Amino acid sequence: MLCDVCKQIEAKVHLTQIVEGVTKKIDLCEACSKAKGVDDPTGFSLADLLLGLGAAQDATPAVAEETSQVTCPQCGFSHADFKKSGRLGCAACYETFADSLGSLLKSMHKGTRHVGKVPQAQKQTRDYSAALKALHQKLDQAIAAENFEQAAILRDEIKVAKHKLSENAPT
Amino acid sequence: MSIHDFLISPAEASKRTGPHDRIVMSSRVRLARNLTGLAFPGWAKKTERVKSLGVIRPAVETLPQMADHFADAMDNLSQLEKQILVERHLISREHAAKSAGSGLVLNREETISVMINEEDHLRMQALRPGLQLKHAWQAIDEVDSQLEKVLPYAYSQELGYLTACPTNLGTGIRVSAMLHLPGLVLSEQINQIITAVTKLGHAVRGLYGEGTEALGNIFQVSNQMTLGESETDILDRINKVLQQIIEHEENARATLVEKKPKVVFNHIGRAYGILANAHSISSKETMNLLSLMRLGIDLALFPGIERALVDELFLTTQPFHLQKLFGDKLAPEERDLRRADMLRERLQDVKRPNYKNVVPPPMTE
Ligand SMILES: [Zn+2]
Ligand SMILES: [Zn+2]
């Protein structure tokens, strides 16, 4: 049985609540049950949860069929494995399964873009690539203006910048 | 050195104090990190896990923050040693179930614990007594910034730190506080609070016990979302929620003492009576009664008795701490006898609660 929220992962949490005399049932995967805060059944209202189910609900079933065949080229993990465990195989899986992860991430998090800490090396890589891009632009302008002396200086600077960028790349 | 010799004694560990520690027993910030190019531990083969452990462990052991530390592979630790670490909240239950290819590095003060190859390659956490989430974050942020210099993290500009479970994606941060809330439980307001806190996007669960049980009236509040919000925003949001819970708990205690003193004193008096006189007592009953005694100490009903005594007993009466103390595997019935013996002995100098001495917490608007 698939999770009622994300429609992608095997449901492991099964809940029943009587809401105004009517028995309501919901089946959730581990991740969604955590995301909805229903690990503790006293702490949530099933009615609220069922009401909030709209968005992710209609989107996925059609894609689910074909995506379950996809396998990660880096680690061999399949979409079916993901459905079973709710976990991914490796970092590259996030690219492999990007399409089906989109709605899932939206339903569990505040946003779908990281806005927190950035590793120092990543920050520098970002700065170095920006600097390199600017140098290339200047070089194009210098060549267009037939300022070959300037172009030679810029080529040297580009060489240094490229070297810095490659040195900084995570190993 | 074995982990038993390394660990701070329960008596010493219980003496640690922090802001708001009447209600907030401890603060924790955990970060999940993975290495690029390697399968996550749950999908990696054993040989791969052993290899990544070999890369990660020395990197963690040489951190300046870990100058004096304990480190071992999980397959070198006995079941008892692992469960003691769980009861101390130094490793997760999941990590205790790991063996070859997983490891642990713990600093001398027991304020930083790094689990290697749990669900992610790295699960590092900083612990502080009382409400000190910012300090815990700063400590673990530093550890992380050191490690990123030597370990190639799996990170994407778009999705942040990549984790085995999508629920941890982005910041990989889990901020949590362990709360003692007897006032809200006795006044039957706890479910309302849980509902409200859950609606704000945080999780609340009983720290001990199955399902809806919260043994010892101890709850854990933690953030749910890790992506689309910065670490400091997550911390600020949960701090606000915790301040409100603290206020509600203090108000609940004050109202109980004012409106239903007999109910409160009855609970505390009975708890003391049983703990100090029983000859057989289960772990469950012990936790629930110690919680009431802790409340009694907070209300000044036990003059001269420190909260640390209750916190120490809370730890030493846990099944594996008891087993360690009395050696060998005790049968459950045997354990209940030993637990009662220990409680009677430790509480023999504690006088009966003095109800005239009661100091209710100040009410806030
Ligand atoms: Zn789901
Ligand atoms: Zn993969």
Side-chain angles (χ1 to χ4, degrees), chain A residues 34 37 39 43 48 75 77 86-91 94 108-111 113-120 122 171, chain B residues 39-40 43 119 141 144-145 148 152 155 158 160 163-164 166-167 170 194 198-199 205 224-229 231:
Chain A
K34 268 198 209 162
D39 312 45
D48 286 356
C75 75
F77 200 77
R87 309 287 189 277
L88 292 161
C90 76
Y94 278 98
M108 48 175 80
H109 293 293
K110 191 141 206 167
R113 255 199 97 80
H114 178 57
V115 290
K117 184 171 181 177
V118 178
Q120 202 57 38
Q122 292 279 342
T171 40
Chain B
F40 297 139
W43 183 243
E119 181 180 290
D141 181 34
D144 177 54
S145 296
E148 72 174 36
Y155 177 88
E158 165 109 27
T163 53
T167 49
I194 292 176
T198 307
K199 279 203 176 126
R205 60 177 69 92
Q224 299 271 23
M225 292 173 278
T226 54
L227 182 65
E229 207 179 358
E231 290 85 354

Side-chain angles (χ1 to χ4, degrees), chain B residues 49-69:
Chain B
R49 288 201 311 271
V50 171
K51 218 170 114 191
S52 57
L53 175 62
V55 173
I56 299 167
R57 184 175 155 178
V60 178
E61 284 192 81
T62 49
L63 288 173
Q65 290 95 331
M66 299 305 233
D68 185 5
H69 69 269

Side-chain angles (χ1 to χ4, degrees), chain A residues 1-60:
Chain A
M1 188 190 308
L2 288 184
C3 166
D4 284 328
V5 173
C6 64
K7 306 269 177 198
Q8 292 188 50
I9 302 169
E10 187 88 359
K12 292 215 171 114
V13 180
H14 311 280
L15 296 161
T16 311
Q17 227 179 45
I18 297 169
V19 182
E20 287 159 9
V22 185
T23 310
K24 308 236 172 190
K25 273 177 154 181
I26 191 166
D27 306 288
L28 302 172
C29 70
E30 252 181 282
C32 289
S33 84
K34 268 198 209 162
K36 299 284 174 195
V38 299
D39 312 45
D40 178 359
T42 57
F44 82 108
S45 145
L46 200 56
D48 286 356
L49 193 56
L50 290 165
L51 276 176
L53 275 187
Q57 203 158 19
D58 354 278
T60 26

